[in-house]
Amino acid sequence: MKRGFYNILAAQFLSSLADNALLIAAIALLASIQAPDWMTPLLKLFFVLSYVGLAAWVGIFADLMPKGRVMFITNAVKVFGCLLMLFGSHPLLSYAVVGIGAAAYSPAKYGILTELLPPEKLVIANGWIEGLTVVSIILGVVLGGVLIKPEVAGYILQTFHLPAIGLDTDPEAALFIVGIVYALAAAVNLTIPDTGVRYARPNFEPIASIKNFFQSCSLLWHDKLGQISLSVTTLFWGAGAVLQFLVLKWAEQALGMHLSDGAILQAVVSIGIALGAVGAAAFIPLKKSLVVLPMGVAMGLVVGGASFYDQSLIPGVVEIFGFEIRNAVIGACGIMIAVGVLAGFFVVPMNALLQHRGHVLMSAGRSIAVQNFNENLSILVMLAVYSLLIHLDFSVQAAMVMFGAFVALSMFCVILRHRSNQKKGDSLHLIGEDVRHEHRIEHS
């Protein structure tokens, strides 16, 4: 890998670490101001809306200047969002500002990979990015939980003399540290080398930008390889958002675990995704990326099957390092690791293929913006459907069966679509194709 790739990894790790710690701190801040309970899930909604609402412009912005500079600016926006939250702005509005920074950061983060690395390195690069992101998610949640502890927050408040500037609560201490982590990420962004790739001067005019964006969407959805990879990643991120909530409910009802303990299973899924991502990076080259499609079907079947698992199936406890752990919980961890491994193994090659096709057909930033738009729209729709099922009093088991069946059936339809495309004409030879879009200018 080129040296710049490791700078990108470091910046992404710090930025994602802060993103996940910020969510915990923001939830604690809402509780401290006695906000109603229904506001807590709105944090995610306000964050994701920027990905959908600004999709037509963030890709253009990402191609406007060297992507390391774009990543610096967008992390600075996240710092600004933290400062707003610290000094009196409503947490939902402040979190929306952070979402703007995140939405603009993503096209640059992934887009620079296609500029910096050859196509055959993209699966490996995505494996490292996704694996490290999963680690940062786990550590970020832990960091946020530690920072809001009264003894830790009190130490931060006194050490940095924060009461002198009007900051005197535990969530504010946590937000202060999160802002510092964002600032460190921004500083690392400045060390990312310029790839030398330049694009034609973009047009930010609203109507033209929206028209061009949906033309880009149409271009990627009509491409024989783009439509397959975009279908898979769109399904994956929507399904992943629902799975976060399903795992917690399943842990509570099937295993009798409290919320804090159930969150461990979320971490276990993340560990599985990291293992699957590393496995895909090691064994699946870009040319063979489509062989992983059956893994998506398997993941849906495992999730649906897991709905019939409960603590009565594996009674008893086992002692590990002096701690008594129920066998049922160990079995549940095994199931969740399997789900994560399958998910990581099929989504990483699909991400790499989608980045490659988008880079070939349009530009790095615009293709990632199209991907983000579709994936986050899927998150909003699937979470809305899941909320409706809960409102209609569907049991967790029924919701998991429906969810698993939907994922398996959707992935099976994607496989059939790919086979149909191949019968009409071989598209696999397009993998590794040189850039042919009109927006790109030669390396300077």
Side-chain angles (χ1 to χ4, degrees):
M1 290 294 185
K2 296 181 179 179
R3 179 186 60 82
F5 174 69
Y6 300 103
N7 300 59
I8 296 169
L9 282 181
Q12 165 59 11
F13 175 80
L14 289 171
S15 187
S16 179
L17 182 77
D19 285 344
N20 290 280
L22 177 63
L23 177 59
I24 305 300
I27 292 172
L29 185 60
L30 283 175
S32 72
I33 62 174
Q34 298 182 329
D37 291 341
W38 55 263
M39 278 193 181
T40 300
L42 287 185
L43 283 168
K44 189 175 183 69
L45 176 65
F46 272 66
F47 188 84
V48 169
L49 279 176
S50 298
Y51 282 88
V52 177
L54 299 178
W57 295 278
V58 291
I60 299 175
F61 179 69
D63 292 333
L64 186 63
M65 63 189 80
K67 289 182 172 52
R69 193 185 309 167
V70 174
M71 294 162 73
F72 168 77
I73 293 171
T74 52
N75 265 314
V77 171
K78 292 181 179 183
V79 173
F80 179 64
C82 276
L83 291 175
L84 287 177
M85 202 177 297
L86 270 173
F87 294 103
S89 177
H90 195 281
L92 291 179
L93 296 178
S94 304
Y95 207 60
V97 172
V98 177
I100 293 172
Y105 180 85
S106 185
K109 172 187 71 177
Y110 285 110
I112 195 173
L113 296 181
T114 57
E115 295 178 358
L116 187 70
L117 303 172
E120 61 271 15
K121 292 285 189 180
L122 286 178
V123 174
I124 297 174
N126 272 273
W128 277 104
I129 288 283
E130 296 301 330
L132 199 64
T133 298
V134 168
V135 173
S136 69
I137 290 171
I138 297 170
L139 294 180
V141 171
V142 172
L143 175 64
V146 169
L147 290 175
I148 61 175
K149 285 181 176 293
E151 58 271 26
V152 176
Y155 176 78
I156 294 169
L157 290 170
Q158 295 305 315
T159 300
F160 293 95
H161 306 289
L162 297 184
I165 55 174
L167 305 179
D168 52 15
T169 67
D170 296 347
E172 288 172 340
L175 287 168
F176 176 78
I177 297 299
V178 170
I180 290 176
V181 178
Y182 275 135
L184 288 174
V188 175
N189 289 144
L190 293 176
T191 69
I192 295 173
D194 184 356
T195 63
V197 177
R198 297 292 183 269
Y199 301 94
R201 188 73 181 178
N203 179 9
F204 280 94
E205 196 274 320
I207 302 300
S209 297
I210 294 173
K211 182 180 178 181
N212 290 336
F213 173 75
F214 283 105
Q215 286 176 345
S216 297
C217 284
S218 177
L219 185 62
L220 206 50
W221 275 114
H222 283 88
D223 180 69
K224 293 295 187 291
L225 295 176
Q227 64 183 223
I228 300 301
S229 52
L230 187 53
S231 296
V232 172
T233 58
T234 297
L235 174 67
F236 172 82
W237 287 107
V242 175
L243 190 61
Q244 283 184 313
F245 295 95
L246 272 178
V247 166
L248 291 175
K249 280 293 183 183
W250 177 66
E252 178 186 347
Q253 295 193 11
L255 301 170
M257 300 175 73
H258 295 295
L259 177 62
S260 57
D261 297 326
I264 295 173
L265 290 184
Q266 283 189 334
V268 169
V269 174
S270 298
I271 292 170
I273 292 174
L275 293 174
V278 172
F283 299 110
I284 307 295
L286 188 64
K287 286 280 188 181
K288 300 290 186 181
S289 54
L290 289 158
V291 303
V292 302
L293 291 177
M295 297 289 184
V297 178
M299 188 194 89
L301 295 176
V302 172
V303 171
S307 66
F308 299 98
Y309 178 89
D310 61 39
Q311 55 189 332
S312 66
L313 294 178
I314 311 179
V317 298
V318 63
E319 186 173 309
I320 301 177
F321 300 116
F323 295 96
E324 287 190 348
I325 302 175
R326 286 181 293 153
N327 291 328
V329 173
I330 295 175
C333 288
I335 293 171
M336 290 299 104
I337 284 180
V339 170
V341 168
L342 290 169
F345 202 82
F346 83 81
V347 77
V348 166
M350 290 296 98
N351 256 337
L353 179 60
L354 182 57
Q355 290 165 20
H356 170 60
R357 291 306 297 160
H359 187 52
V360 168
L361 295 170
M362 51 194 85
S363 72
R366 294 181 191 187
S367 67
I368 302 301
V370 170
Q371 181 179 351
N372 284 341
F373 172 78
N374 284 275
E375 291 172 358
N376 286 281
L377 189 60
S378 172
I379 289 173
L380 293 177
V381 170
M382 288 200 186
L383 284 176
V385 172
Y386 175 68
S387 298
L388 179 61
L389 292 178
I390 298 302
H391 178 70
L392 296 175
D393 290 326
F394 274 69
S395 67
V396 173
Q397 186 181 59
M400 286 185 74
V401 169
M402 292 176 65
F403 171 77
F406 171 73
V407 171
L409 183 60
S410 298
M411 286 300 302
F412 184 67
C413 290
V414 170
I415 292 171
L416 293 180
R417 178 67 177 181
H418 174 57
R419 290 179 179 175
S420 175
N421 289 342
Q422 285 298 97
K423 288 180 180 178
K424 295 176 184 177
D426 178 40
S427 58
L428 297 180
H429 71 280
L430 297 175
I431 302 178
E433 179 187 22
D434 290 334
V435 173
R436 57 182 174 86
H437 56 78
E438 298 176 355
H439 301 286
R440 181 165 175 172
I441 299 174
E442 293 299 321
H443 284 237
S444 60

